[in-house]
Amino acid sequence: MPNLPAAGLRALAFAIARAWGSAEEEAAIVADHLVEANLTGHDSHGVGMLPTYVRVFRQGCLVPNRELEVVADSGAVLVLEAGRGVGQRMAKLAVARGIERARSLGAAVVALRNSCHIGRIGAYGEQAAAQGMVFLGFVNVADHDPIVAPFGAAEARLGTNPFCAALPSRPGAPPALLLDMATSTIAFGKARVARNKGLPVPEGTLIDREGRPTTDPAPMVDRFEGALTAFGLHKGSGLAILCELLGAALPGGQTITDPMRHAVVNNMLAILIDPGRFAAGARGPAAVEAVAGWIRSARPAPGVDRVRLPGEPERESRERRLAEGVPIDERSLAEILEAGAALGLERDRLAALARGEG
Ligand code: NAD
């Protein structure tokens, strides 16, 4: 199947978000976010999420055009309730408030509670870094069965609980570092993409229902049998647990032990820091650049073309996919068209939009 143009995928996502009732601004935020995830190479968090969003909308677990409610506000700490609002807009608004606070106070902590899926966490790191802020995000995933086994376990106890850190660089330049990752060895969506393409997942990323290693994603994706492994043995497993505790438990959001509606909820604790307050003057940004250059200058290991910093693979993918289009497999596209049809949209019109013929 030929690659699809970013503008076509954006039009497709916009049409579906409008059909579930999002106002134009919200639909545009969702569409931009999903297509950006595809462009950066994270198909697991791109337009392939639309069938899930339509399903949870039809369950009453995704609420369009929700306003954030302030639960607590002590200046440096702001707690916001999203009430299953459309995650990409809820998180973008929450981070914007955190940036504003950090600009006046030097640092701010924003707890976003009970949002519908907020997508690629790197988007919020980029949002903060573009405003000159450092970003740390601890996120949990709740409201569905656990799918990640903590270190030493033969069964799942957690979601894929992502962590993200972003450091700004010069104005107008991309972040100096954008570390954005699931705390499972691979994101669940990557197992879904592999299943849709009929491919195995890499060794060490999955266990079957007996706790034995497997590379077949189908039982996990189709029936939640078995579990993804937490990355980095006991150390990554510790970070995954921290995301649950700091991202959701302490601020009072929905955790993996709460009753679930088989939808998807994210809670995010975002820490924003104005690096100007470190009073390092020009030395701070210069030292960041020097360290980045030092890392990049390492002799590449056999089979590696060059050493990259976190965030660079995504920028390379973005450039390539803007030029060449986004590869979407037939099954994923069919599922998206089916989801659109369930909202009363015409399949043929959606397919034409996706091809950029809108
Ligand atoms: P990944 O493994 O592809 O990348 C993780 C990090 O490693 C990135 O920062 C990337 O830049 C860096 N990286 C990758 N290859 C590199 C290389 N060769 N050299 C240097 N750095 C490199 O990402 P992932 O863990 O599969 O996560 C995918 C996406 O899923 C993320 O955007 C994450 O936010 C998202 N996610 C969201 C949720 C949710 O519930 N909202 C849950 C889990 C994951």
Side-chain angles (χ1 to χ4, degrees):
M1 184 165 145
N3 288 352
L4 296 171
L9 292 177
R10 189 189 177 282
L12 171 71
F14 183 80
I16 292 178
R18 290 288 284 150
W20 72 50
S22 281
E24 278 194 23
E25 183 226 2
E26 183 167 271
I29 290 172
V30 173
D32 287 342
H33 182 114
L34 294 179
V35 174
E36 196 59 26
N38 284 117
L39 286 173
T40 52
H42 294 297
D43 295 330
S44 54
H45 287 68
V47 294
M49 284 304 298
L50 286 165
T52 302
Y53 294 168
V54 169
R55 175 178 62 79
V56 299
F57 166 71
R58 297 176 82 206
Q59 274 173 249
C61 293
L62 177 146
V63 182
N65 311 314
R66 185 88 164 68
E67 291 312 322
L68 286 168
E69 276 167 38
V70 177
V71 176
D73 183 356
S74 50
V77 181
L78 182 61
V79 183
L80 300 167
E81 169 65 37
R84 293 181 186 268
V86 173
Q88 285 83 358
R89 178 164 155 272
M90 297 288 92
K92 186 175 181 182
L93 293 175
V95 170
R97 292 206 199 170
I99 293 169
E100 221 173 85
R101 296 272 164 120
R103 213 181 293 294
S104 74
L105 298 171
V109 179
V110 180
L112 175 69
R113 294 199 327 204
N114 305 321
S115 176
C116 194
H117 190 245
I118 64 176
R120 183 180 74 99
I121 315 306
Y124 313 110
E126 286 166 348
Q127 179 187 352
Q131 299 289 320
M133 297 293 163
V134 173
F135 174 90
L136 297 173
F138 301 85
V139 180
N140 89 325
V141 194
D143 211 36
H144 64 64
D145 290 313
I147 53 173
V148 178
F151 182 70
E155 60 177 337
R157 278 289 179 271
L158 295 165
T160 52
N161 294 2
F163 168 76
C164 177
L167 260 66
S169 68
R170 284 165 285 109
L177 172 135
L178 182 64
L179 176 62
D180 171 29
M181 56 185 218
T183 51
S184 48
T185 314
I186 55 167
F188 175 74
K190 290 196 172 150
R192 171 172 50 77
V193 171
R195 190 269 269 136
N196 283 355
K197 290 183 177 168
L199 296 173
V201 292
E203 277 179 29
T205 59
L206 269 186
I207 54 173
D208 66 16
R209 60 182 180 181
E210 311 301 335
R212 290 175 306 224
T214 174
T215 57
D216 178 6
M220 170 74 215
V221 173
D222 298 338
R223 302 186 294 279
F224 287 121
E225 268 177 33
L228 300 167
T229 54
F231 86 102
L233 305 173
H234 52 293
K235 303 180 188 184
S237 182
L239 182 57
I241 297 166
L242 179 67
C243 285
E244 189 71 28
L245 298 180
L246 201 53
L250 273 186
Q254 182 175 342
T255 75
I256 198 75
T257 61
D258 284 317
M260 57 182 134
R261 292 174 67 185
H262 299 280
V264 51
V265 161
N266 281 142
N267 295 270
M268 172 166 72
L269 187 98
I271 300 175
L272 294 125
I273 305 169
D274 176 359
R277 305 297 181 103
F278 293 139
R283 152 106 188 124
V288 168
E289 261 184 52
V291 172
W294 166 249
I295 305 282
R296 279 194 199 96
S297 72
R299 191 158 40 86
V304 176
D305 59 343
R306 68 179 186 83
V307 175
R308 293 167 172 81
L309 256 67
E312 287 186 62
E314 283 77 5
R315 290 205 288 280
E316 289 169 0
S317 166
R318 189 173 197 283
E319 227 167 83
R320 208 171 41 247
R321 288 185 165 193
L322 272 176
E324 298 170 2
V326 176
I328 304 279
D329 64 274
E330 274 178 32
R331 180 164 179 173
S332 298
L333 183 63
E335 285 177 2
I336 298 169
L337 301 185
E338 179 70 37
L343 295 174
L345 298 172
E346 272 177 40
R347 256 175 244 258
D348 290 350
R349 185 180 147 250
L350 289 177
L353 284 179
R355 291 193 298 271
E357 295 162 10

